Amino acid sequence: MIYITRKFHFSASHRLYKEGFSDEENFKKYGMCSNPNGHGHNYILEVTVGGEVDPETAFVLNLKELKDIVQTSLISKVDHKNLNLDVDFMKGIIPSTENIVIQIWNIIKPLIDNGQRKLHSIKLQETENNYVEYKG
Amino acid sequence: MIYITRKFHFSASHRLYKEGFSDEENFKKYGMCSNPNGHGHNYILEVTVGGEVDPETAFVLNLKELKDIVQTSLISKVDHKNLNLDVDFMKGIIPSTENIVIQIWNIIKPLIDNGQRKLHSIKLQETENNYVEYKG
Amino acid sequence: MIYITRKFHFSASHRLYKEGFSDEENFKKYGMCSNPNGHGHNYILEVTVGGEVDPETAFVLNLKELKDIVQTSLISKVDHKNLNLDVDFMKGIIPSTENIVIQIWNIIKPLIDNGQRKLHSIKLQETENNYVEYKG
Amino acid sequence: MIYITRKFHFSASHRLYKEGFSDEENFKKYGMCSNPNGHGHNYILEVTVGGEVDPETAFVLNLKELKDIVQTSLISKVDHKNLNLDVDFMKGIIPSTENIVIQIWNIIKPLIDNGQRKLHSIKLQETENNYVEYKG
Amino acid sequence: MIYITRKFHFSASHRLYKEGFSDEENFKKYGMCSNPNGHGHNYILEVTVGGEVDPETAFVLNLKELKDIVQTSLISKVDHKNLNLDVDFMKGIIPSTENIVIQIWNIIKPLIDNGQRKLHSIKLQETENNYVEYKG
Amino acid sequence: MIYITRKFHFSASHRLYKEGFSDEENFKKYGMCSNPNGHGHNYILEVTVGGEVDPETAFVLNLKELKDIVQTSLISKVDHKNLNLDVDFMKGIIPSTENIVIQIWNIIKPLIDNGQRKLHSIKLQETENNYVEYKG
């Protein structure tokens, strides 16, 4: 097994809050992250795929194919968007980095996996100081 | 003259649009940056002050003093905020990186300048791929 | 399981040497790192915690809680300090990156672990070119 | 077990193509990467070694020893070279990042492994946006 | 005047040598950089434009326009290419970072400058450790 | 005029304090930076030289020459050293980033300047968040 990773960037806004809670309760739970008018980040996404090297191509998978899959299924839906209001797969879900990563995993995994390769991990950096990683 | 720079970070959301224009006209001018529900960035701000080295302290200015000035007058007002809706000094101003930088210059300059030192430049990075610099 | 990481910074000095060895023997073993008057680094620490996402908060743990734990129990004790002389938990221990990482693990683990989450790894970067990782 | 990593840099050129295929067929498979006159990268290599901390030295292994091993056996052979034409261990092998990583693993592993430590992983970054990792 | 910068990336190979000199003479002058089969880099280009903020758009210039200009006139000609053999504007010119920067300036300047804005500087990073800047 | 920059790294310890002042007075002036046993940093130094491109070499100056000058006259004296105790040119001088930069300028300038090139600036980064620049 060998692991290949490609990095993607998207800029999005979000607000952390729980529906049914008052602004005060949300502020207590989420601090500044629950500011009612939102805030935003330059997210950095790393998609890692594991597999054997295909002797025909010398690749686990072609990075152009990986780029096209992630661009179409994910980046086009979140880049320059509001994660609470504009993104279908985040409807009704609190947009914490943890929840975003799990949704990205669920979207990308069936598009990557086949007999020769598998999605291995999704890593999402929210700021220079924090990131989340998920391996299913 | 010697120049000292301190870096600051803030995460904010914004929307580029001109009041009085339709969403279509704004999209034509600003592309994805005019998404009605906004998007966001991890901004990186560099504040550069020029002056002589004070022989008493060996500093142009104490970085703690610079940090306190910028934190109080600026970062506390923009971090985890929506630049269109939450920030008093951006009211009625399109939040392009250029306009934000000019406002930051205007706010910080009178708090820095004295007989021995002067604000030299403000640099603001919006994404890993673009930044704006202003020297008054 | 999902993994969340927060990055911390501290600046410290140290000297690598074995007590009872001469300066020459220490220089042979540690090279420039055994300079008698010490030298220093900007250390970058990554603390990774694994757990399930709490449906109440959408977090594995609140990053503010993680920041407070690491700041109080560790960063306040090592930042702007001499690791050989000023730090209680390094007394009598050669301050190699390996030994620092093991001590950090031992300090932080009981403060993180509970039924829902566990310290997963400690990574410490000494210079841009080297780092050590420990998972217990 | 504790893991220590050292980073190395080398600048090299390469061309991705399969012998026996026409330029058109290669372009279809490899896109711009099959440009007949080649192109190049600043590669960043991370070599990670796992082991126990030696109580004599407080190290898993001395970074100077690791640097000498990798410099002599690898960097001196690939830095400022053409990976297709100048490098003995890449003869007849398509210089994809995957294939380079496997060759590096095979070269370095016998020089690192002994009773107390083992090569754990080789990570090779080709551009800011992609890297490959191999653990044997 | 306010200055806006956009960063671009390209991967290219080159060889430093003076025509009419022997390989030995070139090696003496250029060291490893004159390896006959070439080597390569991930170049990072920063294009900085100065001007007044257009009150209609709040921009010095639209970054999309800048991206299109540089992509079409420059990046498409050098990315994944051999600077000695594939690039028309480098024919007969030693591809040192200095010479590349001057050629980039000459190509881009007439495409940027108008009554309201001017190309201010071209900065080209060849490796993590060196870069060249030119302001005409 | 064209400007070429090379980056250097050194790791050193220091203590900010004014002789004749008590520890309390120094703490008031310098905060944690006056910790009696010192602390340290990974300093990043950028040396920028301006000149015309020599048509013989296509360089302003050969980076190998620049590296040798700075390595011999500076890096060998400060790397893995204590700036207060081990460095001749810092004797009796408070090792603030400002003062270090001015000393570096004074040491390197006569070794660089000749009829065709001149030292243009010295930039020294102390931590990820602050740096000082000096142009004489």
Side-chain angles (χ1 to χ4, degrees):
Chain A
M1 287 284 279
I2 194 161
Y3 300 92
I4 184 156
T5 300
R6 197 182 189 287
K7 217 178 267 193
F8 298 86
H9 297 257
F10 63 91
S11 296
S13 59
H14 71 158
R15 179 196 173 192
L16 297 187
Y17 72 105
K18 210 171 165 69
E19 282 186 62
F21 277 38
S22 67
D23 281 5
E24 285 69 26
E25 288 169 310
N26 275 308
F27 183 80
K28 210 170 145 189
K29 205 190 278 288
Y30 296 115
M32 295 189 304
C33 298
S34 75
N35 176 41
N37 293 314
H39 64 285
H41 301 288
N42 299 324
Y43 289 93
I44 304 177
L45 171 69
E46 296 192 15
V47 177
T48 301
V49 178
E52 301 294 331
V53 180
D54 178 346
E56 264 311 292
T57 58
F59 292 150
V60 168
L61 89 172
N62 194 312
L63 283 172
K64 194 185 167 326
E65 186 192 347
L66 180 54
K67 184 181 170 186
D68 289 346
I69 289 172
V70 179
Q71 190 68 39
T72 306
S73 68
L74 184 76
I75 302 298
S76 67
K77 293 180 179 168
V78 292
D79 190 27
H80 284 72
K81 294 285 162 55
N82 180 311
L83 298 174
N84 299 77
L85 301 176
D86 295 327
V87 179
D88 54 359
F89 65 77
M90 294 303 296
K91 284 284 157 64
I93 295 175
I94 300 172
S96 66
T97 315
E98 288 91 328
N99 276 347
I100 304 170
V101 158
I102 292 171
Q103 293 301 93
I104 293 175
W105 173 274
N106 291 337
I107 289 167
I108 292 179
K109 190 159 181 60
L111 303 173
I112 299 285
D113 286 20
N114 63 26
Q116 288 169 317
R117 68 195 191 203
K118 285 200 298 189
L119 181 63
H120 176 69
S121 72
I122 295 292
K123 180 175 159 183
L124 186 64
Q125 184 179 318
E126 191 193 52
T127 75
E128 216 174 71
N129 284 331
N130 68 78
Y131 60 85
V132 165
E133 194 168 17
Y134 186 54
K135 302 183 177 187
Chain B
M1 287 283 280
I2 192 161
Y3 300 92
I4 185 156
T5 300
R6 196 180 190 287
K7 215 178 268 192
F8 299 86
H9 298 257
F10 62 92
S11 295
S13 59
H14 72 159
R15 180 196 173 192
L16 297 186
Y17 72 104
K18 210 171 163 70
E19 282 186 61
F21 277 37
S22 68
D23 282 4
E24 285 70 26
E25 288 170 310
N26 275 310
F27 183 81
K28 210 169 144 190
K29 206 190 278 286
Y30 295 114
M32 295 189 303
C33 299
S34 75
N35 176 42
N37 293 315
H39 64 284
H41 300 289
N42 299 324
Y43 288 93
I44 304 177
L45 171 70
E46 295 192 15
V47 177
T48 301
V49 177
E52 301 295 330
V53 180
D54 178 346
E56 265 310 292
T57 59
F59 292 149
V60 168
L61 89 172
N62 194 311
L63 284 171
K64 193 184 168 328
E65 185 192 347
L66 180 53
K67 184 181 169 186
D68 289 347
I69 289 172
V70 178
Q71 190 69 39
T72 305
S73 68
L74 184 76
I75 302 298
S76 68
K77 293 180 179 167
V78 292
D79 190 27
H80 283 73
K81 294 285 162 57
N82 180 310
L83 298 174
N84 300 76
L85 301 175
D86 295 328
V87 178
D88 55 358
F89 64 77
M90 294 304 296
K91 285 283 158 62
I93 295 174
I94 300 172
S96 66
T97 314
E98 288 92 328
N99 276 347
I100 304 170
V101 157
I102 293 171
Q103 294 300 94
I104 293 175
W105 173 275
N106 291 337
I107 289 167
I108 292 179
K109 191 161 181 58
L111 304 173
I112 299 284
D113 286 21
N114 64 27
Q116 288 169 317
R117 68 195 193 203
K118 284 200 300 190
L119 182 63
H120 177 69
S121 73
I122 295 290
K123 180 176 158 184
L124 186 64
Q125 183 179 317
E126 191 193 52
T127 75
E128 214 174 72
N129 283 330
N130 67 78
Y131 61 84
V132 165
E133 193 168 17
Y134 186 56
K135 302 182 177 188
Chain C
M1 285 285 276
I2 193 162
Y3 300 92
I4 185 157
T5 300
R6 198 183 188 286
K7 215 179 268 193
F8 298 86
H9 298 257
F10 63 92
S11 295
S13 60
H14 72 158
R15 180 196 173 193
L16 296 187
Y17 72 105
K18 209 172 164 66
E19 281 186 64
F21 277 38
S22 68
D23 281 4
E24 286 69 26
E25 288 170 309
N26 275 309
F27 182 81
K28 209 169 144 191
K29 205 190 278 287
Y30 297 114
M32 295 188 305
C33 298
S34 74
N35 176 44
N37 293 314
H39 64 282
H41 301 289
N42 299 325
Y43 289 93
I44 305 177
L45 171 70
E46 295 192 16
V47 177
T48 301
V49 178
E52 302 293 331
V53 180
D54 178 344
E56 264 310 293
T57 59
F59 292 151
V60 167
L61 90 171
N62 193 312
L63 284 172
K64 194 183 169 327
E65 185 192 347
L66 180 55
K67 185 182 169 185
D68 290 346
I69 289 172
V70 178
Q71 190 68 39
T72 306
S73 67
L74 183 77
I75 301 298
S76 68
K77 295 181 177 166
V78 293
D79 189 28
H80 284 72
K81 294 284 161 57
N82 180 311
L83 297 174
N84 299 76
L85 301 175
D86 295 328
V87 179
D88 55 359
F89 65 78
M90 293 304 297
K91 283 282 157 64
I93 295 175
I94 301 171
S96 66
T97 314
E98 287 92 328
N99 276 347
I100 305 170
V101 157
I102 292 170
Q103 293 301 94
I104 293 175
W105 173 275
N106 291 337
I107 288 166
I108 292 179
K109 190 160 181 60
L111 303 173
I112 300 284
D113 287 19
N114 63 26
Q116 288 169 317
R117 68 197 192 201
K118 285 201 299 190
L119 181 63
H120 177 69
S121 72
I122 295 292
K123 180 175 158 183
L124 186 64
Q125 183 179 316
E126 192 193 51
T127 75
E128 214 173 72
N129 283 330
N130 68 79
Y131 60 85
V132 165
E133 193 169 18
Y134 186 55
K135 301 182 178 188
Chain D
M1 288 282 278
I2 193 162
Y3 300 93
I4 185 157
T5 300
R6 198 182 187 287
K7 216 179 269 194
F8 299 86
H9 297 259
F10 63 93
S11 295
S13 60
H14 73 158
R15 179 196 174 194
L16 297 187
Y17 72 105
K18 211 174 163 67
E19 281 186 63
F21 276 38
S22 68
D23 282 6
E24 286 70 26
E25 288 169 309
N26 274 309
F27 183 81
K28 210 170 144 190
K29 207 190 275 287
Y30 296 114
M32 295 188 303
C33 298
S34 75
N35 175 43
N37 292 314
H39 64 283
H41 301 289
N42 298 324
Y43 288 94
I44 304 177
L45 171 70
E46 296 191 16
V47 177
T48 301
V49 178
E52 301 294 331
V53 179
D54 178 345
E56 264 312 293
T57 59
F59 292 151
V60 168
L61 91 172
N62 194 313
L63 283 171
K64 192 183 169 327
E65 185 192 349
L66 181 55
K67 185 181 169 186
D68 289 346
I69 289 172
V70 179
Q71 190 68 38
T72 306
S73 67
L74 183 76
I75 302 298
S76 68
K77 295 181 178 168
V78 293
D79 190 27
H80 283 73
K81 294 286 162 55
N82 180 312
L83 297 175
N84 299 78
L85 301 175
D86 295 327
V87 179
D88 55 358
F89 64 77
M90 293 304 297
K91 285 283 157 64
I93 294 174
I94 300 171
S96 66
T97 315
E98 287 92 328
N99 276 346
I100 304 170
V101 157
I102 292 170
Q103 293 301 93
I104 293 175
W105 173 275
N106 291 336
I107 288 166
I108 292 179
K109 190 160 181 59
L111 305 172
I112 299 285
D113 287 19
N114 64 26
Q116 288 170 316
R117 67 197 193 202
K118 284 201 298 190
L119 181 63
H120 176 69
S121 73
I122 295 291
K123 181 176 157 182
L124 185 64
Q125 184 179 318
E126 192 193 52
T127 74
E128 215 174 72
N129 284 330
N130 67 79
Y131 60 85
V132 164
E133 193 168 18
Y134 186 55
K135 301 183 176 185
Chain E
M1 286 285 278
I2 193 161
Y3 300 93
I4 185 156
T5 301
R6 199 183 187 286
K7 216 178 268 194
F8 298 86
H9 298 258
F10 63 92
S11 295
S13 59
H14 73 158
R15 179 195 174 193
L16 297 187
Y17 73 104
K18 210 172 165 66
E19 282 187 61
F21 277 38
S22 68
D23 281 5
E24 286 69 26
E25 288 170 309
N26 275 310
F27 183 81
K28 210 171 144 188
K29 206 190 276 288
Y30 296 116
M32 294 189 304
C33 298
S34 74
N35 176 43
N37 292 314
H39 64 284
H41 301 290
N42 299 324
Y43 288 94
I44 305 177
L45 171 70
E46 295 192 17
V47 177
T48 301
V49 177
E52 301 294 330
V53 180
D54 178 345
E56 263 312 291
T57 60
F59 292 150
V60 168
L61 89 172
N62 193 313
L63 284 171
K64 192 182 170 330
E65 186 192 348
L66 181 53
K67 184 182 169 185
D68 289 346
I69 289 172
V70 179
Q71 190 68 36
T72 305
S73 68
L74 183 77
I75 301 298
S76 68
K77 294 181 178 167
V78 294
D79 189 27
H80 284 72
K81 294 285 162 56
N82 180 311
L83 297 174
N84 300 75
L85 302 175
D86 295 329
V87 179
D88 55 359
F89 65 77
M90 294 304 297
K91 283 283 155 63
I93 294 174
I94 300 171
S96 66
T97 314
E98 288 91 329
N99 277 347
I100 304 170
V101 157
I102 293 170
Q103 294 300 93
I104 293 174
W105 173 274
N106 292 337
I107 288 166
I108 292 179
K109 190 159 181 60
L111 304 173
I112 299 284
D113 287 20
N114 64 27
Q116 288 169 317
R117 68 196 192 202
K118 284 201 299 190
L119 182 62
H120 176 69
S121 73
I122 295 291
K123 180 175 159 183
L124 186 64
Q125 184 179 318
E126 192 193 51
T127 75
E128 215 173 72
N129 283 330
N130 68 79
Y131 60 86
V132 165
E133 193 168 19
Y134 186 55
K135 301 182 176 187
Chain F
M1 286 284 278
I2 192 162
Y3 301 92
I4 185 158
T5 300
R6 198 183 188 287
K7 217 179 267 194
F8 298 85
H9 297 258
F10 62 94
S11 296
S13 59
H14 72 159
R15 180 197 173 191
L16 297 186
Y17 72 104
K18 211 174 163 66
E19 282 186 61
F21 276 39
S22 67
D23 282 4
E24 286 70 25
E25 288 169 309
N26 276 309
F27 183 81
K28 209 168 145 190
K29 207 190 274 289
Y30 296 114
M32 296 188 304
C33 298
S34 75
N35 175 43
N37 293 314
H39 64 283
H41 300 290
N42 299 323
Y43 288 94
I44 304 177
L45 171 70
E46 296 192 16
V47 177
T48 301
V49 178
E52 300 294 331
V53 180
D54 178 346
E56 264 312 293
T57 59
F59 292 150
V60 168
L61 90 171
N62 193 313
L63 284 172
K64 194 186 167 327
E65 185 192 348
L66 181 54
K67 185 181 169 184
D68 290 346
I69 289 172
V70 179
Q71 189 69 37
T72 306
S73 67
L74 184 77
I75 302 298
S76 68
K77 295 180 178 167
V78 293
D79 190 27
H80 284 73
K81 294 285 163 54
N82 180 311
L83 297 174
N84 299 77
L85 302 175
D86 296 326
V87 179
D88 55 359
F89 64 77
M90 293 304 297
K91 285 282 156 65
I93 294 174
I94 300 171
S96 67
T97 314
E98 288 92 329
N99 276 347
I100 305 170
V101 157
I102 291 170
Q103 294 301 94
I104 293 175
W105 173 274
N106 291 336
I107 289 167
I108 292 179
K109 191 162 181 59
L111 305 172
I112 299 284
D113 286 20
N114 64 26
Q116 289 169 317
R117 68 195 193 203
K118 284 200 300 192
L119 182 62
H120 176 69
S121 73
I122 295 291
K123 181 176 158 183
L124 186 64
Q125 184 179 317
E126 192 193 51
T127 74
E128 215 173 71
N129 283 330
N130 67 78
Y131 60 84
V132 164
E133 193 168 18
Y134 186 55
K135 302 183 176 187

